[in-house]
Each structure stands twice: as C-alpha cells, then as structure tokens.
Amino acid sequence: MLENLHFPEGFIWGASTAAHQIEGNNVNNNWWAREHAVATDIKEPSGDACDSYHRYKEDISLLADSGLTMYRFSVEWARIEPEEGYFSRAELLHYRRIVEFCWEQGVEPMITLHHFTVPNWFAAQGGWRNPNAPNLFSRYVGFLQPLLDGVTWICTINEPNMVAMTQGGETGEDMVASSLPEPNVDIAHTISEAHHKARALLKQDPAKKVGWSVAAQAFHAMPGCENETQDYAYWRETFFFEQAVDDDWIGVQAYLRTFIGKHGPLPVPDDVEKTKNGWEYFPPALGIGVKTAWKLTGGKPVFVTENGIATDNDSRRIDYTYGALASLLQEMEGGVTVLGYLHWSLLDNYEWGSFSPTFGLVAVDRTTFERLPKPSLAWLGKAARTGVVTATERLGPDL
Ligand code: BGC
C-alpha cells in the first residue's frame, strides 16, 4: 500500500513551460528556420503552438485555480531582439504583462532567459560557438532589466548541457534527453561564461535568486564500468553542475536514467515500460538527479525546474509523478535542501519537432486552442494546497 507524502511547509509547487513550445509564431529564431528549411529533419513545425502568446491569462489562471503557486516560463530572445541591436519595447511590455498577471493571480513567476532557441542573427554569427556570445547574451539580459524588476526567481539558461550536446541546436541532433550526442566542449565553456556574466549583471539586485537548470540524467554504471561512466558524464552533466557553485540555487530537470557500458550508453531494454517518446518509465530518476546536483554543487539548494512524462494516460502521469516525488522526499529527508517542484509541463505543447509526446497537465485542442485540464492538474494542485501528495494505486494499464 502506497503512503501519502508529506512535504514541508514553504515548499513551492508549480509548472513550467518554454516560449517556443507554447507561444506560436516565433518566426525569428533558429528553430523556426530549421522547421521550415527545404530539407528539414523536423516532423512538424511549431506553427501556432498553443497560442499562449495570446492566451497566457487562461494558462496562468488554470495553474492558479488548481492551487499551484509558481509559473516558470521563458522569454523569447528573438522577439525581444529580432535584429541585432534592435530591441522591441512592445515585446518587453508583453512579457511584463505576463509577470504582472502572475502576481495578480497570486502566482510567483520564475523566468528563464534562454530556453534552447536563439535569434537567427545570433545563429548566423556562430551561435554558442561564437566566442563573443557571452557579450551578446549579456546585452540582451541588460535590456530585460525593466521586465525583471521585482522578479525574484531567474533561470538564466535552460539545460546548457543539452545545448552543448546538440551543438547549440544547429544540427539535426535530438533536443531531448534521450539521446546524448558528443558534447561540444567549446560551447560548454562559452555558455557557462554567458551564465556567469548574466548572473553578475542580475545580482546587482541582491534580492534576485539566480541559477540555471541542468538536465540530470541518472547515469547508471554497468558492473565494472564506473570509470567509463564518470568520463561519459563529465561533459554531459558534471561540468554544468560544477559551474553553479556560486549560484543561488541549482535547477534539476529529470526524466529518465541511462545505463553506461564499456562502449557508452546502452539502449532501453525491450521489456521495460516506456513513455510515449520511448524513454524508460523510471520515476526515481528525480531523486538521483537531485542527489547528484547537491553533491556536485557542494550543497546548493535545489529547485526541480522540470519533471514529467509523455503519455496519453493521465493515470500513469499521476503514478509517475507520485514516484518521482517519493524519491525527492527521500532525498530531502536525507538532508538535501529542495526549494520546490515545477512539473513539466503545464500544457501539451510543441515537443521540439512534434506535438505527439504529450507532457501536459492540461490538453490543448489543436484547432480551437481550447484548454482541457486533466485530472493530474487537480491532483498536483491539491498537493500544493495541502502539502500532502495523495498516494495512488498503480493505475494501469501500462503505457
Ligand atoms: C526540455 C524541454 C522538453 C522536455 C521534454 C527538457 O529537456 O527543457 O524543453 O520539452 O525536456 O522533452
């Protein structure tokens, strides 16, 4: 019999999104260009996505009404600076309205400044391979200051380790944690320099709590492969946690685990339960990721900025989330400081090439953009209101 999970008072509960995945018509960034390239490797373009550019009030109201109290969203650099050095005040005000609407609804915003996509002009200069990229990023962050006024929680960069592995999003590599291509060490250095520069700028306001979010991959060494696993993990995860030692918090995003053998990662075995995008159903990945982050940052407070599952079966979403939260609570009881949990994602959104892997607490009608909350939203919202995560039976059928 599963038990209810009791979280401490003050623990923050919320949900995450990212601009390109929900806004729609982000026509000035490298992803849009890739989606519409003549010989594109992308299955479906993002198009109108969830039309959250216009419907953010519905999204935030749904989150607030459920009981969740934090909304993590990202600002689209290509909207703010569509041409190099040209900054749009109207777009800045658009994002400021989102911040203010959050506050009106009793929701604390967490703002991500960079979530995978970059303006086309930045990509044309070499993207994150350009040694000048940290200065270009800082200039953009400087322009955002009026938007960030009074905003406490800032995530500078989402999953810099995935950016290094996908060569800054320039190649056809998957933008997801299931495949882990060779990381680009120059990009790793450049993006961490960008993070440190942006942090220095943002911390001119000492009230801001600044961090970045790393994709934690719960590497498991096969017997006798401990050294290979350490080497494999270094530029894919470890380095990026180490770069956060002077941050205010470390963001952990966890979905799955990866077994490492003598010659690298092993495929997901046929006989395990898999999610809609082919990942192993493995909820304890969250506890493992949090423990790793705590260790490698020398005890930075952890914020779970993403965790979730692609499934059409919402009972399995609840079951997965319960399992992930159980593994999280276990680490907290073992001494790890965890500030909060943000579910990925609020909405069924554009999953970097396809709308098919549905991670949302809320479904979105692809024609009318009507929002259709799933039972998992109410379930997580109840945890937020009470601090108690209700145990679920293992609701089948399997995925
Ligand atoms: C990313 C999200 C993505 C999610 C699920 C994370 O790697 O930050 O943008 O949608 O995983 O694939």
Side-chain angles (χ1 to χ4, degrees), residues 18 21 115-116 158-159 162 175-177 215 253 255 277 279 306 344 349-352 359:
Q21 297 182 264
H115 195 124
F116 292 157
N158 181 73
E159 296 190 350
M162 293 309 295
M175 194 57 105
V176 291
Q253 319 209 135
Y255 294 91
N277 49 349
W279 298 351
E306 286 184 26
W344 184 269
N349 62 19
Y350 182 63
E351 257 305 311
W352 306 111
F359 277 91

Side-chain angles (χ1 to χ4, degrees), residues 82-287:
E83 294 295 341
E84 185 177 2
Y86 168 74
F87 292 95
S88 166
R89 287 180 195 285
E91 294 289 5
L92 195 70
L93 289 171
H94 166 78
Y95 287 111
R96 185 66 192 180
R97 285 194 291 274
I98 300 182
V99 167
E100 281 169 8
F101 190 72
C102 283
W103 285 334
E104 276 168 37
Q105 296 292 306
V107 168
E108 188 71 29
M110 176 187 277
I111 304 191
T112 309
L113 308 183
H114 170 62
H115 195 124
F116 292 157
T117 48
V118 295
N120 282 328
W121 62 263
F122 178 86
Q125 292 182 25
W128 289 111
R129 293 171 197 272
N130 177 358
N132 192 37
N135 295 326
L136 300 173
F137 186 65
S138 287
R139 189 176 56 182
Y140 152 69
V141 174
F143 183 75
L144 294 179
Q145 295 296 340
L147 162 69
L148 304 178
D149 189 27
V151 173
T152 304
W153 297 94
I154 314 281
C155 171
T156 59
I157 296 171
N158 181 73
E159 296 190 350
N161 50 337
M162 293 309 295
V163 177
M165 281 185 263
T166 55
Q167 311 292 312
E170 291 162 33
T171 66
E173 303 289 6
D174 270 4
M175 194 57 105
V176 291
S178 60
S179 70
L180 302 176
E182 198 53 37
N184 180 314
V185 172
D186 290 339
I187 290 182
H189 284 297
T190 305
I191 205 162
S192 76
E193 188 191 329
H195 167 62
H196 294 147
K197 264 183 108 92
R199 184 188 64 205
L201 201 63
L202 294 161
K203 287 301 285 183
Q204 287 171 5
D205 171 3
K208 293 211 175 326
K209 296 188 192 297
V210 182
W212 73 353
S213 292
V214 175
Q217 295 148 71
F219 292 117
H220 276 55
M222 295 302 283
C225 300
E226 287 72 19
N227 291 341
E228 286 82 356
T229 304
Q230 231 182 358
D231 291 349
Y232 186 83
Y234 190 74
W235 289 108
R236 290 176 173 82
E237 182 181 284
T238 314
F239 171 82
F240 299 89
F241 281 133
E242 289 174 354
Q243 297 306 305
V245 288
D246 295 322
D247 291 1
D248 294 315
W249 53 273
I250 176 67
V252 167
Q253 319 209 135
Y255 294 91
L256 44 77
R257 69 174 157 182
T258 312
F259 287 97
I260 307 296
K262 277 272 170 255
H263 307 290
L266 305 177
V268 182
D270 286 337
D271 56 347
V272 301
E273 182 180 352
K274 295 190 195 65
T275 69
K276 212 179 164 192
N277 49 349
W279 298 351
E280 182 192 4
Y281 181 92
F282 186 66
L286 183 57

Side-chain angles (χ1 to χ4, degrees), residues 276-342:
K276 212 179 164 192
N277 49 349
W279 298 351
E280 182 192 4
Y281 181 92
F282 186 66
L286 183 57
I288 296 167
V290 160
K291 193 176 178 170
T292 307
W294 179 254
K295 200 175 93 202
L296 293 174
T297 57
K300 280 282 134 187
V302 174
F303 216 123
V304 178
T305 44
E306 286 184 26
N307 169 252
I309 174 175
T311 178
D312 289 335
N313 179 339
D314 200 49
S315 303
R316 299 305 287 150
R317 185 179 335 279
I318 293 175
D319 188 68
Y320 178 91
T321 309
Y322 172 89
L325 289 167
S327 74
L328 182 67
L329 191 59
Q330 199 181 335
E331 294 309 325
M332 291 167 71
E333 287 168 353
V336 177
T337 304
V338 184
L339 304 169
Y341 172 88
L342 308 179

